[in-house]
Amino acid sequence: MKLLTFKRGIHPPDGKHFTASKPIENLLPKGDLVFPMSQHIGAPCEPIVKKGEKVLVGQKIGETKAFVSSPIHSSVSGTVKDVTPMLHPNGSKVLSVIIENDGLYEEHESLGPKGNYKDLSKDQIIEMIKEAGIVGMGGAGFPTHVKLSPPPEKNIDTIIINGAECEPYLTSDHRIMLEETNKVIEGLKIILHMFPQAKGYVGVENNKMDAIKALKEATEGIENIEVKVLKTKYPQGAEKQLIYAITGREVPSGGLPADVGCIVQNIDTAVAIQRAVVDGRPLMRRIVTVTGGAIKEPKNFEVKLGTSYRELIEAAGGFVSEPVKIISGGPMMGIALSSLDVPIIKGSSAILCLSKEEADLPEERNCIRCGKCVSVCPMNLLPLQLNQYAVNYDVDKFEKCHGMDCIECGSCSFICPAKRHLVQSIRTAKKTILNNRRKNA
Amino acid sequence: MSTEMYTVSSSPHIHSKDSIQSIMRDVFIALLPAALVGVWVFKFQALIVILLSVASCVGAEALWQKLTHQKISVNDYSAAVTGLLLAMNLPPTVPFWLPIVGGAFAIIIAKQLFGGLGQNFINPALAARAFLLASWPVQMTTWTIDGVTTATPLGILKEGGEALPSITDLILGNVGGCIGETSAIALLIGGLYLIYKKVISIRIPATFIGTVLILTWILGRGGMFYPYAIYEIFTGGLFLGAFFMATDYSSSPVTVKGQYIMGLGCGILTTVIRLYGGYPEGVSYSILIMNLAVPLIDRYTQPRIFGEVK
């Protein structure tokens, strides 16, 4: 069978062997839980609990009235210890609710099945997803209810569940597809119930043949769902590249997947939708891969949101060697952390602890114009040119040469023999331009 | 609260193993077969010229970087590649001071004065060759070894005089010419190695050589559909230029379309110079002229980006 894919891209070392065959282990938190009030793209939440207040599992502890936002729920029962700014995995300090776990896991009365989703309307389901605090769990954290509410004039005919997991080292989605296959499919069925004219796809890279087999078995006889085998290539799981691979459609520059009739959801997000709509449970857990050459026993964990990164590393046996870098997420797009005392949030797909050998920080040299960045850019940009405009603060030329279309996958920086900080400079220029636009708006 | 601090940097956190050094080393390795044939054909004399040229380039780069308080980066092999390329573009009979002057010119004038690695707008080795040819034309066009004058095949084609060498001698390298240009097969092996290692793409060499072949066949010496077109692509420095010099990173386009234009332009200019120009050989000048057009080519061949709406 012909493998579906996009043009260009890279083949980084995959590092998935550490954890690909490790079943998900359930990990209960030991210490306090920290819930940053911003775990998503959009308006941060306001804490709705006070210091000293008793909270239950699934109780809402933060919310806002903004549409592009997502409420936060407690994942344990216990007492609010404090409401104060704490270090967030993105490196900044964010107002957070700290809860002392009483270990009883008493559940809030709002939890529990709400009946058959097939009897619910699209708007009712969107409201349930919004109330459950579901956001894209691949890392960016875009609120799922917003993604599922495209403008009415967009004719959505394709729902894609993103099982590419193209980031090296990450295996959390892989394990979910194997161990919670039916939940993934049911999550997709719920979305298809909301978009009855659409067809559902699960796209999986061909380095996860066991997951493909499990998904194919689980979807046998389901007419409007198809499992698509993708070529293992980075960034196969980038939204635009995934849509292209499966449908052959190009999301227009500056546009959204809905412009080409598509909605893409992450694997763990599909499971979260199933849990919210069928089981009546808000988003309180996620699957996290703890891995890297510096970790003693790399593993996949199911953890409660708010658990400290440090506890996960301890549960994975601690370090075998002094790690040089701790990364929240994968090595291509993840964020390097300065400390282990940050909580698992909705978008924490992995904790990657790179040893000295893995975390090379090579010296930046002159661009030799070899054109390797051009030959790998999935957006067909000229990264060397954008880098030049970015470091010269030439924002006009940067925009003219489509710098804003960069998806920041990092393929250019990966491949560059001169080790130039290509995507870094492009990212900075994009931020500058967005800030200017906001100021001038 | 702990106080440990880990390295924080922007993603990506892993990088490919390729480096400037590994790429330049590959280019150096790829040039060796042809250089060895040169030494085999022209003996000890050629070896000395090669060593002097490489030493001059590396020495000039180190000295310049030292004097300008830059980090000395001769261990990246780029100066050594320039030196080897320059020597391969010299007749084996040149006086020994000539490669030294040439190497210094290539590195200091053509490369460092324009900003060093990656910043030169023309190929340093070719710039040096052009400089030497203009300054010392006699030494640069004497092909006498052990008292025997061996004209280059293209010289014979242009001016007549001797019998042409056989095509087998031409492919193997048993003919007169510059040190590194004689053996088409050795150059092809090196070029294919670079393509296999993904150091260069086949676009420029294939279009360059293909254009020369087709144009020479059509326009031909003495009429259309010239039967010796195949013979001519193995002559002169065409393979050396097409695989190793027109593909020089800093002086060739980075866009796919631009690389085809580069090959096409070099091919047209080479054929025109060879057939109608004053010089028997046109590869060097065609590449130098196209080098000047590279910024323009890159500008007008910007690729269509993914999802671009016109």
Side-chain angles (χ1 to χ4, degrees), chain A residues 250 253 325 331 385 419 427, chain B residues 9-10 13 16 18 252 302 307:
Chain A
E250 288 188 12
S253 170
K325 263 189 189 174
Q385 193 183 47
K419 313 298 170 191
R427 196 183 285 142
Chain B
S9 66
S10 189
H13 306 285
S16 72
D18 282 341
S252 68
Q302 299 266 327

Side-chain angles (χ1 to χ4, degrees), chain B residues 133-280:
Chain B
L133 192 59
S135 309
W136 296 282
V138 178
Q139 288 86 335
M140 284 294 289
T141 50
T142 305
W143 317 93
T144 310
I145 287 199
D146 303 331
V148 186
T149 306
T150 48
T152 66
L154 279 174
I156 300 168
L157 278 168
K158 194 130 209 162
E159 278 123 27
E162 300 173 39
L164 278 170
S166 73
I167 194 160
T168 319
D169 277 341
L170 203 57
I171 291 171
L172 289 178
N174 200 15
V175 291
C178 292
I179 293 171
E181 71 178 23
T182 60
S183 173
I185 188 95
L187 289 163
L188 187 65
I189 290 169
L192 292 178
Y193 173 76
L194 288 186
I195 290 167
Y196 168 74
K197 295 284 270 183
K198 296 201 168 129
V199 172
I200 61 169
S201 96
I202 198 168
R203 292 187 279 267
I204 292 177
T207 348
F208 192 168
I209 296 170
T211 307
V212 171
L213 176 66
I214 292 168
L215 268 189
T216 309
W217 180 62
I218 293 174
L219 301 173
R221 290 176 204 273
M224 295 263 275
F225 310 122
Y226 173 59
Y228 274 96
I230 289 274
Y231 183 90
E232 291 212 7
I233 64 163
F234 295 116
T235 62
L238 183 58
F239 276 53
L240 181 61
F243 283 102
F244 295 96
M245 294 189 293
T247 55
D248 172 47
Y249 286 155
S250 34
S251 54
S252 68
V254 293
T255 63
V256 171
K257 246 190 264 170
Q259 290 175 352
Y260 287 120
I261 294 173
M262 176 81 185
L264 190 71
C266 286
I268 293 171
L269 289 170
T270 298
T271 315
V272 167
I273 295 173
R274 277 184 177 186
L275 296 184
Y276 311 110
Y279 285 106

Side-chain angles (χ1 to χ4, degrees), chain A residues 325-400:
Chain A
K325 263 189 189 174
I326 310 284
I327 294 152
S328 176
M332 292 303 296
M333 290 187 77
I335 296 172
L337 302 174
S338 60
S339 161
L340 299 178
D341 296 304
V342 291
I344 293 290
I345 60 167
K346 294 171 183 175
S348 307
S349 51
I351 305 175
L352 176 58
C353 304
L354 294 180
S355 63
K356 201 163 187 258
E357 297 79 59
E358 294 167 296
D360 54 335
L361 258 180
E363 185 200 2
E364 189 174 22
R365 296 207 50 200
N366 277 6
C367 170
I368 55 170
R369 288 175 47 86
C370 64
K372 281 183 192 286
C373 54
V374 180
S375 67
V376 300
C377 178
M379 297 303 287
N380 214 13
L381 301 167
L382 301 179
L384 77 167
Q385 193 183 47
L386 294 173
N387 170 248
Q388 211 175 14
Y389 297 144
V391 297
N392 291 334
Y393 302 102
D394 192 342
V395 288
D396 294 338
K397 281 212 182 108
F398 180 88
E399 274 198 82
K400 208 176 147 229

Side-chain angles (χ1 to χ4, degrees), chain A residues 53-71:
Chain A
E53 203 174 320
K54 182 113 178 76
V55 291
L56 298 172
V57 174
Q59 183 179 335
K60 205 190 277 180
I61 54 174
E63 70 176 343
T64 83
K65 294 209 163 52
F67 179 65
V68 183
S69 186
S70 183

Side-chain angles (χ1 to χ4, degrees), chain A residues 1 159-165 171-189 200-230 242 246 265-268 270-271:
Chain A
M1 189 174 60
I159 307 293
I160 300 172
I161 301 298
N162 184 356
E165 200 166 52
T171 57
S172 51
D173 289 350
H174 184 181
R175 292 313 306 180
I176 297 169
M177 289 188 277
L178 278 176
E179 297 179 38
E180 301 187 340
T181 323
N182 289 322
K183 293 193 172 173
V184 173
I185 299 303
E186 195 158 21
L188 175 55
K189 279 185 184 165
Y201 297 94
V202 188
V204 189
E205 279 189 350
N206 68 336
N207 59 357
K208 296 178 267 289
M209 289 314 287
D210 49 353
I212 291 168
K213 189 166 163 266
L215 287 164
K216 280 197 168 158
E217 281 168 11
T219 53
E220 222 181 319
I222 305 178
E223 226 165 69
N224 60 346
I225 296 181
E226 202 180 322
V227 178
K228 290 282 191 184
V229 185
L230 309 168
L242 182 66
I246 289 181
Q265 297 290 356
N266 170 267
I267 289 285
D268 211 355
V271 174

